[in-house]
Amino acid sequence: MAESLLFSIAESMLGKIASPVLQEAIAIYNIENQILELRETLTAIKAVLLDAEVRQAKNALLQVWLDQLQHVFYDAEDVLDELECEALRKQVISRYGGVKGKVRRFFSTSNPLMFRAEISHKIKEIRERLSKISTKKDQFNLNMWSVDNGVGHTRSRETHSFISNLDVVGRDIDKEKIIEMLMRPDDKNLSVFPIVGIGGLGKTTLAKLVYNDDKVKEQFTLRRWVCVPEDFDLRKTIEGIIKDATPQDLSIFDIEQLQNSLQGIIKDKKFILVLDDVWSNDSRRWKELRELLSRGASESKIIVTTRSVEVASIVGTHPMHNLKGLSHEDSMALFKKWAFDEKEKEPCLDLLEIGNDIVKKTQGFLSL
């Protein structure tokens, strides 16, 4: 559903506005007031988006409102990206002067006064459109939800367990730590290991590396990967666990039949289950699921990936693994992997310098 992206887009734009690069550009072009008003409007809309996304299915007018908002958000993203690119262009020109070759092809020249007039006009237009849409939200009596309520966080895609090790940089130590904990003898019938990291820190990537490791495959007779519904819907979660184990149409099962099927599949089996991207802090639903999973063999394990420390503290039976950002060296290795052609043995030194600056600005948050 396209509108499920809106909260993430709003959050991303607010983060971009607060970034050092954009703050510098805002000051240079003297557009502080326009950006301040844009940020305030974005913040007000973001506060009610989670409630709007939950309620839109039963309200056609709310669907129209979200659709209008989506178009403005996309245009606003383009304007902020344009401002960010111009700021980076100025940094490159200032640092390297008349650079040649690839860098010159990447960055075009522009008249500062003309650019300021154009970007101011675009921001004003976005701000006016967004303000009109923001005013309309009052007719829906939307509630303001905290991002930590755990009942409506947005996710734009389903995750899967496949991964190519060749695409991963800098996660070997984290992987070995998790595998060591999984293999360690445990007196618990069912153990839960939370992996915590914010959006770009690769918690899902780490879980995939562990899940597909040969030692893990040998240790556990049953493996399952489930992308947990945003509201931790018990039925959908159970269906995700058992869907590969039965040829039957699960939609015809009632909840009791699903529960019986799940218990039959895991009975006396030592399993590992990855519950990926858990948002909900509903301890009651978590307790229900744990009780259903308790029929597996002793030393069965669950890995839970989440952005929330609160969720990790509720579900975990072991200390959470707090995933950090990549080192500068690993970040540079990842940057070179994706920025340059594999056949290019000696990348342009100027581009490497630019990449080094970009990596420094990400402060370790560059990751898969």
Side-chain angles (χ1 to χ4, degrees):
M1 201 161 36
E3 53 265 33
S4 67
L5 293 169
L6 294 184
F7 183 88
S8 295
I9 294 174
E11 197 169 49
S12 173
M13 285 193 288
L14 288 169
K16 182 168 290 189
I17 288 172
S19 69
V21 173
L22 221 62
Q23 283 296 306
E24 182 179 348
I26 290 167
I28 289 174
Y29 294 109
N30 193 26
I31 52 175
E32 290 94 336
N33 291 337
Q34 295 98 309
I35 293 294
L36 177 61
E37 292 181 23
L38 176 63
R39 185 179 65 187
E40 289 176 348
T41 306
L42 269 174
T43 301
I45 292 175
K46 176 192 167 191
V48 299
L49 273 178
L50 296 176
D51 190 31
E53 290 173 16
V54 170
R55 294 167 53 182
Q56 55 88 27
K58 298 180 180 179
N59 189 326
L61 290 177
L62 189 54
Q63 291 178 19
V64 172
W65 183 77
L66 288 170
D67 185 60
Q68 293 172 342
L69 189 61
Q70 173 185 312
H71 292 295
V72 182
F73 271 14
Y74 286 162
D75 290 342
E77 274 193 309
D78 290 342
V79 172
L80 292 177
D81 286 344
E82 183 179 353
L83 181 59
E84 184 179 46
C85 286
E86 178 63 15
L88 291 171
R89 186 193 72 83
K90 287 182 71 67
Q91 288 183 6
V92 171
I93 297 300
S94 174
R95 180 166 181 175
Y96 298 102
V99 291
K100 298 179 180 180
K102 290 186 177 182
V103 177
R104 177 170 290 176
R105 292 200 298 272
F106 284 160
F107 300 99
S108 60
T109 58
S110 64
N111 183 302
L113 294 177
M114 184 178 296
F115 179 81
R116 181 188 182 280
E118 290 178 352
I119 204 72
S120 295
H121 175 74
K122 290 178 181 179
I123 292 173
K124 179 182 178 182
E125 182 185 11
I126 292 293
R127 185 164 42 83
E128 289 175 349
R129 290 167 61 195
L130 203 58
S131 181
K132 289 180 181 179
I133 292 177
S134 180
T135 302
K136 293 179 182 179
K137 75 180 186 302
D138 297 334
Q139 66 182 294
F140 303 115
N141 297 316
L142 297 171
N143 297 313
M144 291 188 292
W145 287 5
S146 164
V147 74
D148 288 324
N149 279 353
V151 286
H153 296 271
T154 57
R155 177 166 58 236
S156 62
R157 62 180 178 87
E158 291 289 311
T159 57
H160 53 79
S161 61
F162 174 78
I163 190 170
S164 171
N165 289 4
L166 298 177
D167 290 335
V168 182
V169 173
R171 291 304 179 202
D172 291 339
I173 294 177
D174 292 294
K175 171 189 168 183
E176 292 306 318
K177 284 183 178 179
I178 296 293
I179 291 177
E180 181 184 348
M181 288 190 291
L182 290 174
M183 299 301 179
R184 193 176 298 158
D186 197 334
D187 58 358
K188 295 181 176 63
N189 181 57
L190 184 61
S191 299
V192 184
F193 299 85
I195 300 176
V196 181
I198 65 172
L201 290 185
K203 60 191 182 302
T204 296
T205 296
L206 175 57
K208 290 178 181 181
L209 289 173
V210 172
Y211 183 82
N212 289 290
D213 185 82
D214 290 338
K215 294 191 293 290
V216 172
K217 291 178 180 179
E218 292 176 4
Q219 184 77 7
F220 298 95
T221 57
L222 180 67
R223 298 184 310 133
R224 285 292 182 272
W225 180 286
V226 178
C227 184
V228 178
E230 294 166 12
D231 60 355
F232 210 156
D233 181 274
L234 188 61
R235 179 187 178 92
K236 291 180 181 177
T237 303
I238 295 173
E239 287 179 351
I241 298 172
I242 68 177
K243 65 181 180 180
D244 294 329
T246 175
Q248 294 178 280
D249 180 6
L250 299 179
S251 65
I252 65 175
F253 284 21
D254 59 30
I255 187 64
E256 186 172 353
Q257 289 173 315
L258 285 172
Q259 292 174 353
N260 291 336
S261 179
L262 171 62
Q263 292 185 333
I265 290 169
I266 66 172
K267 184 178 180 181
D268 299 328
K269 290 186 176 67
K270 186 176 179 180
F271 67 83
I272 183 168
L273 169 65
V274 176
L275 298 176
D276 187 38
D277 210 5
V278 177
W279 281 104
S280 176
N281 58 6
D282 190 330
S283 57
R284 178 183 58 83
R285 289 181 182 175
W286 172 248
K287 184 178 179 181
E288 288 178 15
L289 181 60
R290 278 206 60 174
E291 288 176 352
L292 290 171
L293 295 170
S294 63
R295 296 194 63 180
S298 179
E299 297 192 45
S300 292
K301 307 291 169 62
I302 300 175
I303 295 175
V304 172
T305 74
T306 180
R307 304 183 192 189
S308 168
V309 172
E310 181 184 5
V311 170
S313 65
I314 290 173
V315 305
T317 62
H318 288 67
M320 70 186 74
H321 183 84
N322 200 344
L323 194 59
K324 305 297 184 182
L326 293 177
S327 67
H328 182 82
E329 291 74 17
D330 286 334
S331 295
M332 276 302 297
L334 187 61
F335 175 86
K336 287 189 285 188
K337 181 179 180 64
W338 292 105
F340 302 111
D341 193 310
E342 292 181 1
K343 299 178 182 178
E344 193 172 0
K345 295 182 179 180
E346 297 294 334
C348 172
L349 291 179
D350 286 340
L351 284 180
L352 284 177
E353 286 293 329
I354 295 170
N356 190 58
D357 288 344
I358 292 172
V359 168
K360 285 180 180 178
K361 285 179 170 56
T362 64
Q363 298 178 346
F365 284 82
L366 183 65
S367 177
L368 283 175

